[in-house]
Coordinates of all heavy atoms in Angstrom, one line a residue:
D187 N 11.7 -92.1 167.9 CA 11.7 -90.7 168.4 C 12.7 -89.8 167.7 O 12.6 -88.6 167.8 CB 12.0 -90.8 169.9 CG 11.8 -89.4 170.6 OD1 10.6 -89.0 170.6 OD2 12.7 -88.8 171.1
I188 N 13.6 -90.4 166.9 CA 14.6 -89.7 166.3 C 14.2 -89.3 164.9 O 13.6 -90.1 164.1 CB 15.9 -90.5 166.2 CG1 16.4 -90.9 167.6 CG2 17.0 -89.8 165.4 CD1 17.6 -91.8 167.6
P189 N 14.4 -88.0 164.4 CA 14.0 -87.6 163.1 C 14.7 -88.4 162.0 O 15.8 -88.9 162.2 CB 14.4 -86.1 163.0 CG 14.5 -85.7 164.4 CD 14.9 -86.9 165.2
T190 N 14.0 -88.6 160.9 CA 14.7 -89.3 159.8 C 15.7 -88.4 159.1 O 15.7 -87.1 159.4 CB 13.6 -89.7 158.7 OG1 13.0 -88.4 158.2 CG2 12.6 -90.6 159.3
L191 N 16.6 -88.9 158.3 CA 17.6 -88.1 157.6 C 16.9 -87.1 156.7 O 17.4 -86.0 156.5 CB 18.5 -89.1 156.8 CG 19.7 -88.4 156.1 CD1 20.6 -87.6 157.0 CD2 20.4 -89.5 155.3
L192 N 15.8 -87.5 156.1 CA 15.1 -86.6 155.2 C 14.6 -85.4 156.0 O 14.7 -84.3 155.5 CB 13.9 -87.4 154.5 CG 13.1 -86.6 153.6 CD1 13.9 -86.1 152.4 CD2 11.9 -87.4 153.1
E193 N 14.0 -85.6 157.1 CA 13.6 -84.5 158.0 C 14.7 -83.5 158.3 O 14.6 -82.3 158.1 CB 13.0 -85.0 159.3 CG 11.7 -85.7 159.2 CD 11.3 -86.3 160.5 OE1 11.1 -85.6 161.5 OE2 11.1 -87.6 160.6
A194 N 15.9 -84.1 158.7 CA 17.0 -83.3 159.0 C 17.5 -82.5 157.8 O 17.9 -81.3 158.0 CB 18.1 -84.2 159.6
R195 N 17.5 -83.1 156.7 CA 18.0 -82.4 155.5 C 17.0 -81.3 155.0 O 17.4 -80.2 154.5 CB 18.3 -83.4 154.4 CG 19.5 -84.2 154.6 CD 19.8 -85.2 153.5 NE 21.0 -85.9 153.7 CZ 21.4 -86.9 153.0 NH1 20.7 -87.4 152.0 NH2 22.6 -87.5 153.2
L196 N 15.7 -81.6 155.0 CA 14.7 -80.7 154.5 C 14.5 -79.4 155.4 O 14.3 -78.3 155.0 CB 13.4 -81.4 154.3 CG 13.2 -82.3 153.2 CD1 11.9 -83.0 153.1 CD2 13.5 -81.6 151.8
F197 N 14.5 -79.7 156.8 CA 14.2 -78.6 157.7 C 15.5 -78.1 158.4 O 15.6 -78.3 159.6 CB 13.2 -79.1 158.7 CG 11.9 -79.6 158.1 CD1 11.7 -80.9 157.8 CD2 10.9 -78.7 157.7 CE1 10.5 -81.4 157.2 CE2 9.8 -79.1 157.0 CZ 9.6 -80.5 156.8
D198 N 16.4 -77.6 157.6 CA 17.7 -77.3 158.1 C 18.0 -75.8 158.2 O 19.2 -75.3 158.3 CB 18.8 -78.0 157.3 CG 18.8 -77.5 155.8 OD1 17.9 -76.8 155.4 OD2 19.8 -77.8 155.1
T199 N 17.0 -74.9 158.1 CA 17.1 -73.5 158.3 C 16.2 -73.0 159.4 O 15.4 -73.8 159.9 CB 16.7 -72.8 157.0 OG1 15.3 -73.0 156.7 CG2 17.5 -73.2 155.8
T200 N 16.3 -71.8 159.8 CA 15.5 -71.2 160.8 C 14.0 -71.4 160.5 O 13.2 -71.9 161.3 CB 15.8 -69.7 161.0 OG1 17.2 -69.6 161.4 CG2 14.9 -69.2 162.1
F201 N 13.6 -71.0 159.3 CA 12.2 -71.2 158.9 C 11.8 -72.6 158.7 O 10.7 -73.0 159.1 CB 11.9 -70.4 157.6 CG 10.5 -70.5 157.1 CD1 9.5 -69.8 157.8 CD2 10.2 -71.2 156.0 CE1 8.2 -69.9 157.4 CE2 8.8 -71.3 155.6 CZ 7.9 -70.6 156.3
G202 N 12.7 -73.4 158.3 CA 12.5 -74.9 158.1 C 12.2 -75.5 159.5 O 11.3 -76.3 159.6
K203 N 13.0 -75.1 160.5 CA 12.8 -75.7 161.8 C 11.5 -75.2 162.4 O 10.8 -76.0 163.1 CB 14.0 -75.3 162.7 CG 15.3 -76.0 162.4 CD 16.4 -75.8 163.4 CE 16.9 -74.3 163.4 NZ 18.0 -74.1 164.4
F204 N 11.1 -73.9 162.1 CA 9.8 -73.5 162.5 C 8.7 -74.3 162.0 O 7.7 -74.8 162.7 CB 9.6 -72.0 162.1 CG 8.2 -71.5 162.3 CD1 7.8 -71.1 163.5 CD2 7.3 -71.4 161.2 CE1 6.5 -70.6 163.7 CE2 6.1 -70.9 161.3 CZ 5.6 -70.5 162.6
L205 N 8.8 -74.6 160.7 CA 7.8 -75.5 160.0 C 7.8 -76.9 160.6 O 6.8 -77.5 160.9 CB 8.0 -75.6 158.5 CG 7.7 -74.4 157.7 CD1 8.0 -74.7 156.2 CD2 6.2 -74.0 157.8
W206 N 9.0 -77.4 160.9 CA 9.1 -78.7 161.5 C 8.4 -78.8 162.8 O 7.8 -79.8 163.1 CB 10.6 -79.1 161.6 CG 10.9 -80.5 162.0 CD1 10.9 -81.6 161.3 CD2 11.1 -80.9 163.4 NE1 11.2 -82.7 162.0 CE2 11.3 -82.3 163.4 CE3 11.2 -80.2 164.6 CZ2 11.6 -83.1 164.5 CZ3 11.4 -81.0 165.7 CH2 11.7 -82.4 165.7
V207 N 8.6 -77.8 163.7 CA 8.0 -77.8 165.0 C 6.5 -77.8 164.8 O 5.7 -78.5 165.5 CB 8.4 -76.5 165.8 CG1 7.6 -76.4 167.0 CG2 9.9 -76.7 166.2
C208 N 5.9 -77.0 163.9 CA 4.5 -76.9 163.6 C 4.0 -78.3 163.1 O 2.8 -78.7 163.4 CB 4.2 -75.8 162.6 SG 4.5 -74.2 163.2
L209 N 4.8 -79.0 162.4 CA 4.3 -80.3 161.8 C 4.7 -81.5 162.7 O 4.4 -82.6 162.2 CB 5.0 -80.4 160.4 CG 4.6 -79.4 159.4 CD1 5.4 -79.6 158.1 CD2 3.1 -79.5 159.0
Q210 N 5.2 -81.2 163.9 CA 5.6 -82.4 164.7 C 4.6 -83.4 164.9 O 4.9 -84.6 164.8 CB 6.0 -81.8 166.1 CG 7.5 -81.5 166.3 CD 7.8 -81.3 167.7 OE1 8.6 -82.1 168.3 NE2 7.3 -80.3 168.4
P211 N 3.3 -83.1 165.1 CA 2.3 -84.2 165.3 C 2.3 -85.2 164.1 O 2.1 -86.4 164.3 CB 1.0 -83.5 165.4 CG 1.2 -82.1 165.0 CD 2.6 -81.8 165.2
F212 N 2.4 -84.7 162.9 CA 2.4 -85.6 161.7 C 3.6 -86.4 161.6 O 3.5 -87.6 161.2 CB 2.2 -84.7 160.5 CG 0.9 -83.9 160.5 CD1 1.0 -82.5 160.8 CD2 -0.3 -84.4 160.4 CE1 -0.1 -81.7 160.9 CE2 -1.5 -83.7 160.5 CZ -1.4 -82.3 160.7
F213 N 4.8 -85.9 162.0 CA 6.0 -86.7 162.0 C 5.9 -87.8 163.1 O 6.3 -88.9 162.9 CB 7.2 -85.8 162.3 CG 7.5 -84.9 161.2 CD1 7.6 -83.5 161.4 CD2 7.7 -85.4 159.9 CE1 7.9 -82.7 160.3 CE2 8.0 -84.5 158.8 CZ 8.1 -83.2 159.0
Y214 N 5.3 -87.5 164.2 CA 5.2 -88.5 165.3 C 4.2 -89.6 164.9 O 4.3 -90.7 165.3 CB 4.7 -87.9 166.6 CG 5.9 -87.4 167.4 CD1 6.5 -86.2 167.4 CD2 6.5 -88.3 168.3 CE1 7.6 -85.8 168.1 CE2 7.6 -88.0 169.1 CZ 8.2 -86.7 169.0 OH 9.3 -86.4 169.7
I215 N 3.2 -89.2 164.1 CA 2.2 -90.2 163.6 C 2.8 -91.1 162.6 O 2.6 -92.3 162.6 CB 0.9 -89.5 163.1 CG1 0.2 -88.8 164.2 CG2 0.0 -90.5 162.4 CD1 -0.9 -87.9 163.8
F216 N 3.5 -90.5 161.6 CA 3.9 -91.3 160.4 C 5.3 -91.8 160.4 O 5.6 -92.8 159.7 CB 3.7 -90.4 159.1 CG 2.2 -90.1 158.9 CD1 1.8 -88.8 159.0 CD2 1.4 -91.1 158.5 CE1 0.4 -88.5 158.8 CE2 0.0 -90.9 158.3 CZ -0.5 -89.5 158.4
R217 N 6.2 -91.2 161.3 CA 7.6 -91.7 161.3 C 7.7 -93.1 161.6 O 8.5 -93.8 161.0 CB 8.4 -90.8 162.2 CG 9.9 -91.0 162.2 CD 10.6 -90.3 163.3 NE 10.5 -88.8 163.1 CZ 10.3 -88.0 164.2 NH1 10.2 -88.5 165.4 NH2 10.2 -86.7 164.0
P218 N 7.0 -93.7 162.6 CA 7.2 -95.1 162.9 C 6.9 -96.0 161.8 O 7.4 -97.1 161.6 CB 6.2 -95.3 164.1 CG 6.1 -94.0 164.7 CD 6.2 -93.0 163.6
L219 N 5.9 -95.6 160.9 CA 5.5 -96.4 159.8 C 6.6 -96.4 158.7 O 6.6 -97.3 157.9 CB 4.2 -95.8 159.2 CG 3.0 -95.6 160.1 CD1 1.8 -95.1 159.4 CD2 2.7 -97.0 160.8

Side-chain angles (χ1 to χ4, degrees):
D187 189 63
I188 299 175
T190 63
L191 182 60
L192 181 61
E193 290 172 60
R195 287 178 175 173
L196 286 179
F197 303 97
D198 64 348
T199 64
T200 301
F201 182 68
K203 289 188 290 181
F204 170 80
L205 287 179
W206 185 86
V207 169
C208 294
L209 295 172
Q210 268 194 115
F212 303 102
F213 291 124
Y214 270 91
I215 291 169
F216 295 111
R217 189 188 297 140
L219 305 179

